[in-house]
Amino acid sequence: MPVPAYSTGSNEIDQPATAAPGPLSRRLRRNADRLRETADVHDATAHNAEALA
């Protein structure tokens, strides 16, 4: 199964979250989740250059 392009960036945030103390870990994971949601919306609504022309 192909890995979505956005997963690399959000996974880079998730990795230190596993070693961070509680509150910081929650913030990092929440930020990674927001990035994933934003990427999902972008993927669903993005138009290529040909469609815009």
Side-chain angles (χ1 to χ4, degrees):
M1 182 165 160
V3 177
Y6 65 83
S7 69
T8 302
S10 56
N11 286 342
E12 288 178 7
I13 295 172
D14 270 338
Q15 288 173 351
T18 60
L24 180 56
S25 176
R26 285 191 295 274
R27 266 185 274 156
L28 289 169
R29 289 186 190 280
R30 201 169 34 234
N31 188 30
D33 289 341
R34 277 192 223 122
L35 288 173
R36 286 186 194 98
E37 289 172 14
T38 300
D40 288 341
V41 170
H42 171 75
D43 288 345
T45 60
H47 301 286
N48 59 23
E50 292 82 19
L52 295 175

